[in-house]
Amino acid sequence: MESIGTLARGIAHDFNNILGIIVGLASQIGDEITLQRRIFISEEIKRMVQRGATLVRQILTFARKAPVQFTELNVNDEMNAFLPLLKETFSKIIEQIFLPGEHLPAINADHNQLSSVLLNLSLNARDAMPNGGTMTFRTFIVTGESILERFPDAIEENYVCIAVSDNGTGMDEETQQRIFEPFFTTKDIGKGTGLGLSVVYGI
């Protein structure tokens, strides 16, 4: 119940912020403003609407209510398609290294969910390295027996594992205990919703 309360408060807070900004911007449209200002207001309203839509998608994913389409995926192919996007969008002071495993079997997964996991882990890694660093992605096979203690439902002989690591600032033990809580964040106000790792955990 406490987790649900935290989730509800976080959603209400974020949506109130979004709606407050939209109302404030919309109230200016009726004033005598320049065309340039009107275009700016229009673009900002669109951006806030997209932010709200993203928040809804994250919540649906967290609650496992988003539509899921499972297909056969090659994890190495997915990584090779994903990493160039990071190189283009992340600062040049952050290096990405990919160490692909060999002879990996195809997995049954949702492409969008896998991309969301990789993106959220990457964003957290980036934020932990404000002065630059290295992100390392590895793919490899683990035996079902080796993960039974953590995942009692693991019935397959082998599983494909994706490991994402960075050499950033790290976190203390207290923070580690809370990283999957919805809306828990160590970032400044307006710089993170605290949903990223919750979404990863939900997926």
Side-chain angles (χ1 to χ4, degrees):
M1 289 303 295
E2 184 179 349
S3 295
I4 293 172
T6 301
L7 183 64
R9 285 193 298 273
I11 294 168
H13 177 74
D14 270 26
F15 269 114
N16 277 337
N17 285 344
I18 291 169
L19 293 174
I21 292 171
I22 290 174
V23 169
L25 290 168
S27 66
Q28 300 177 39
I29 294 177
D31 301 336
E32 293 183 6
I33 56 175
T34 64
L35 177 60
Q36 185 176 4
R37 178 64 182 170
R38 196 177 295 272
I39 292 172
F40 169 79
I41 290 173
S42 175
E43 291 301 315
E44 283 297 293
I45 289 176
K46 287 180 186 176
R47 192 170 69 84
M48 287 298 106
V49 170
Q50 289 168 353
R51 183 174 162 188
T54 299
L55 184 60
V56 169
R57 283 195 300 271
Q58 288 179 315
I59 292 165
L60 289 175
T61 301
F62 176 76
R64 300 183 184 183
K65 295 298 183 182
V68 177
Q69 185 172 1
F70 288 104
T71 57
E72 279 198 355
L73 300 178
N74 181 292
V75 170
N76 285 343
D77 289 346
E78 294 293 314
M79 293 298 306
N80 284 322
F82 173 75
L83 289 175
L85 299 177
L86 289 191
K87 293 182 185 296
E88 290 175 13
T89 55
F90 279 17
S91 168
K92 301 301 181 187
I93 63 175
I94 296 178
E95 180 185 12
Q96 292 89 29
I97 297 175
F98 178 36
L99 304 174
E102 296 183 350
H103 311 300
L104 299 183
I107 67 170
N108 192 33
D110 179 276
H111 166 78
N112 291 329
Q113 285 191 339
L114 181 57
S115 296
S116 180
V117 166
L118 292 171
L119 180 60
N120 279 303
L121 291 176
S122 299
L123 290 172
N124 274 272
R126 180 202 64 184
D127 293 343
M129 301 183 289
N131 300 316
T134 302
M135 297 170 55
T136 303
F137 300 83
R138 293 187 300 127
T139 58
F140 51 96
I141 293 176
V142 295
T143 64
E145 185 179 356
S146 67
I147 62 172
L148 270 174
E149 185 176 337
R150 186 172 177 186
F151 300 99
D153 295 333
I155 58 173
E156 301 297 335
E157 184 178 352
N158 294 308
Y159 288 86
V160 175
C161 180
I162 303 172
V164 182
S165 60
D166 65 75
N167 60 352
T169 54
M171 61 186 82
D172 57 34
E173 188 175 343
E174 183 181 353
T175 302
Q176 287 182 38
Q177 298 301 317
R178 302 188 62 192
I179 58 173
F180 296 119
E181 287 183 21
F183 294 101
F184 171 74
T185 180
T186 58
K187 297 171 187 173
D188 295 335
I189 295 174
K191 292 188 176 180
T193 63
L195 275 176
L197 292 181
S198 296
V199 168
V200 171
Y201 184 82
I203 291 171

